[in-house]
């Protein structure tokens, strides 16, 4: 059921803790723009910097960005698989202690003094059934209410290239199972999601168009803002220049005006009804 007849929007940045320049962009997008939440990588190279910034910015709602691709395990210290395909092979061979790893990441965030309100996963790995079970169990055991359900609402032409729209449609076949598992563990999800089809190409035009199409109820918009400094340039990610474009869009006055024009209420997970 729709949580609210109003249009509520959570603007949530992934990859907090990835690099210092990404961290700086996330905080700027919150302080000067429409960003309301972020998810923190417990195994990120810039984790301590992100924690410092989070303490200085208490209005920024923080969750856990659970990582199984890239970086190192907090349990074993060994590198994680570098790709989704490698992760799936590792899962088939039971080479990763899923619950222990995700619980350790969540525990590190909590030990830093942050009380996470929501969970999501790097590269949406919780679409894989064993990862979903572990994520839902961690959410239940740590009392974290909100978990991402990463299926874009129908966007039409805004959804981007045909292949991207087809992939999103294929992933949507998992929607029912994801919802059942999360509900069985007492987890909640927002009514709608946006961002999968916009990753790497989110700018002012896309955000303005999204405001016009936003459905009633609550929606999470996933984004990846950041500054393109040396740390990000040298980091293992395809999202580099696009992070600066997203940051510029998130702080653009015309985007905030579009949200106001369409009576969209900016909220975070802690403030959802």
């Amino acid at each position: 059921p729709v949580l609210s007849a109003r249009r509520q929007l959570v603007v949530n940045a992934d990859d907090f803790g990835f690099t210092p320049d990404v961290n700086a962009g996330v905080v700027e997008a919150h302080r000067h723009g429409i960003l309301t939440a972020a998810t923190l990588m417990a195994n990120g190279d810039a984790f301590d910097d992100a924690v410092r910034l989070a303490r200085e910015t208490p209005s920024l709602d923080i969750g856990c960005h659970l990582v199984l691709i890239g970086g190192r395990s907090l349990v074993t210290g060994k590198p994680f698989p570098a790709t989704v395909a490698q992760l799936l092979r590792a899962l088939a061979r039971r080479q990763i202690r899923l619950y222990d790893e995700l619980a350790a990441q969540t525990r590190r965030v909590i030990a830093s003094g942050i009380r996470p309100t929501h969970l999501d996963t790097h590269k949406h790995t919780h679409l894989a059934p064993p990862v979903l079970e572990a994520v839902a169990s961690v959410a239940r055991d740590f009392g974290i209410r909100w978990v991402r359900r990463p299926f874009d609402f129908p966007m039409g032409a805004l959804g981007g290239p045909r292949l991207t729209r087809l992939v999103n449609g294929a992933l949507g076949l998992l929607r029912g199972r994801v919802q059942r598992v999360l509900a069985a563990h007492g987890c909640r999800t927002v009514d709608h999601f946006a961002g999968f089809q916009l990753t790497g190409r989110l700018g002012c035009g896309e955000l303005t168009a999204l405001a016009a199409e936003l459905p009633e109820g609550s929606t999470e918009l996933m984004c990846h803002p950041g500054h393109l400094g040396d740390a990000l340039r040298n980091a293992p990610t395809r999202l580099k220049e696009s992070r600066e474009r997203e940051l510029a869009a998130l702080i653009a006055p015309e985007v905030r005006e579009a949200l106001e024009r369409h009576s969209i209420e900016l909220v975070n997970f802690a403030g959802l009804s």
Side-chain angles (χ1 to χ4, degrees):
V2 172
L3 294 175
S4 169
R6 298 173 295 174
R7 288 176 173 85
Q8 295 180 307
L9 180 64
V10 178
V11 184
N12 187 32
D14 288 5
D15 300 345
F16 197 38
F18 185 51
T19 65
D21 36 10
V22 166
N23 293 349
V26 168
V27 171
E28 182 178 349
H30 174 66
R31 291 176 177 168
H32 304 292
I34 64 169
L35 189 83
T36 60
T39 44
L40 176 57
M41 306 172 87
N43 74 336
D45 289 343
F47 173 81
D48 290 336
D49 178 65
V51 170
R52 176 185 61 82
L53 289 169
R55 289 172 180 160
E56 294 173 359
T57 318
S59 56
L60 179 62
D61 189 17
I62 304 292
C64 299
H65 195 53
L66 300 171
V67 179
L68 294 170
I69 295 176
R72 289 182 177 272
S73 164
L74 294 188
V75 173
T76 67
K78 296 178 180 179
F80 280 133
T83 66
V84 172
Q86 290 174 11
L87 173 65
L88 293 176
R89 286 196 292 271
L91 293 178
R93 296 167 183 163
R94 299 188 177 181
Q95 294 173 331
I96 299 175
R97 292 155 51 189
L98 281 174
Y99 180 88
D100 292 347
E101 179 61 45
L102 302 184
Q105 293 183 23
T106 304
R107 201 173 288 116
R108 189 181 188 205
V109 171
I110 293 171
S112 75
I114 292 170
R115 184 64 201 171
T117 61
H118 55 292
L119 299 179
D120 55 46
T121 56
H122 192 48
K123 309 288 187 184
H124 306 312
T125 54
H126 66 299
L127 294 180
V131 182
L132 176 63
E133 291 285 348
V135 167
S137 296
V138 167
R140 177 197 61 208
D141 294 348
F142 286 87
I144 300 171
R145 295 181 69 196
W146 299 95
V147 177
R148 174 180 290 169
R149 187 179 55 175
F151 308 108
D152 280 353
F153 71 81
M155 293 182 180
L158 183 60
R162 183 169 180 269
L163 178 59
T164 304
R165 298 199 303 273
L166 287 173
V167 171
N168 182 68
L171 291 177
L173 299 174
L174 303 171
R175 182 191 303 264
R177 184 181 189 281
V178 169
Q179 188 61 42
R180 286 193 300 274
V181 171
L182 293 179
H185 288 76
C187 305
R188 299 190 72 182
T189 64
V190 295
D191 300 315
H192 313 287
F193 178 80
F196 174 79
Q197 296 170 91
L198 297 170
T199 298
R201 59 181 197 87
L202 185 63
C204 284
E206 288 76 18
L207 276 177
T208 301
L210 187 72
E213 295 192 23
L214 206 70
E216 286 189 348
S218 58
T219 301
E220 176 193 354
L221 170 63
M222 174 186 71
C223 59
H224 301 83
H227 288 288
L228 185 55
D230 289 341
L232 180 56
R233 287 183 192 279
N234 296 320
T237 176
R238 70 181 178 90
L239 302 178
K240 296 183 187 288
E241 291 84 358
S242 64
R243 294 183 192 259
E244 287 206 325
R245 290 197 302 274
E246 290 196 20
L247 174 57
L250 291 167
I251 64 176
E254 57 265 38
V255 170
R256 187 178 289 276
E257 290 165 4
L259 297 181
E260 293 173 354
R261 186 166 61 249
H262 293 284
S263 301
I264 295 167
E265 176 189 4
L266 284 172
V267 296
N268 57 28
F269 288 98
L272 278 173
S273 52

